Amino acid sequence: MKKGDIVFLQGKGFISRIVRFFDGGGKFSHVAIAVSDTRVIEADIGTRVSVRPFERNNYNIIEVVDLGLSINKRREVVNSAMKMIGVKYDYVQLIWYGLKRLFKVKGKNRLNNPKYVICSELVFIALDEIGVLKELGINISHKEGIDLSPNELYDLVKYVS
């Protein structure tokens, strides 16, 4: 795990199983950005966006995605995410994923509060704001109201990496 890598995780707990269920049954329940080989920046349930030690034993599956970025771009990804330190977790957005899954609701996420973030949103915004998505040939933006769940983000970055 190197600075700027995207770290996809499957937690061991009950909340992780719920997140995966509402995220279409995908294998990941969480995503973070590596700050170093031992620390990540993340938005996690029950906390605000922060840098924390990475506890490998808390997860069943860990997949690190290296986007092939230069050292400078890796630093920019981390710096972009660091601007969101202290932002609250968007619990209401999780309700949207539940409605979408249970009732087959289509369309734009009407419950996404732009002042709060979930884990995949933090990563998506950080990559988008410094132009990494465009450099990878991905022409979508969080500014268009697009937000992605952990597994949707995984599919997107894995496709281009």
Side-chain angles (χ1 to χ4, degrees):
M1 192 168 77
K2 299 178 297 222
K3 182 177 198 168
D5 282 345
I6 311 304
V7 185
F8 290 89
L9 308 155
Q10 181 189 92
K12 295 180 178 181
F14 178 70
I15 298 294
S16 290
R17 286 193 295 276
I18 290 172
V19 169
R20 286 185 14 248
F21 174 78
F22 287 132
D23 191 7
K27 71 178 175 178
F28 300 108
S29 58
H30 189 59
V31 60
I33 298 172
V35 173
S36 70
D37 61 341
T38 60
R39 298 178 68 75
V40 294
I41 184 168
E42 62 185 351
D44 204 359
I45 291 175
T47 66
R48 295 175 183 249
V49 173
S50 62
V51 176
R52 293 193 224 4
F54 181 58
E55 304 288 337
R56 293 183 186 274
N57 58 346
N58 291 340
Y59 302 99
N60 290 322
I61 296 175
I62 300 166
E63 185 163 340
V64 178
V65 176
D66 178 348
L67 297 174
L69 304 176
S70 68
I71 292 170
N72 287 338
K73 273 295 184 189
R74 288 174 174 278
R75 189 176 307 114
E76 287 181 44
V77 168
V78 171
N79 290 342
S80 178
M82 290 286 209
K83 291 177 189 172
M84 290 181 264
I85 294 282
V87 171
K88 291 181 180 180
Y89 192 83
D90 193 355
Y91 294 99
V92 178
Q93 190 168 349
L94 296 181
I95 294 169
W96 170 256
Y97 289 120
L99 293 171
K100 187 175 165 183
R101 169 80 176 196
L102 295 175
F103 300 107
K104 311 282 190 258
V105 176
K106 303 281 186 206
K108 186 177 171 181
N109 181 346
R110 293 176 216 70
L111 300 179
N112 187 356
N113 184 332
K115 294 180 182 178
Y116 305 146
V117 295
I118 63 170
C119 60
S120 50
E121 196 171 21
L122 167 73
V123 175
F124 183 65
I125 290 170
L127 294 174
D128 186 25
E129 285 190 344
I130 64 160
V132 168
L133 297 177
K134 288 212 184 313
E135 289 174 11
L136 294 172
I138 300 168
N139 294 313
I140 59 175
S141 173
H142 76 281
K143 292 176 183 165
E144 299 164 14
I146 294 172
D147 62 89
L148 302 171
S149 67
N151 287 288
E152 290 168 334
L153 181 62
Y154 176 79
D155 290 345
L156 183 73
V157 298
K158 200 58 181 164
Y159 173 74
V160 296
S161 64

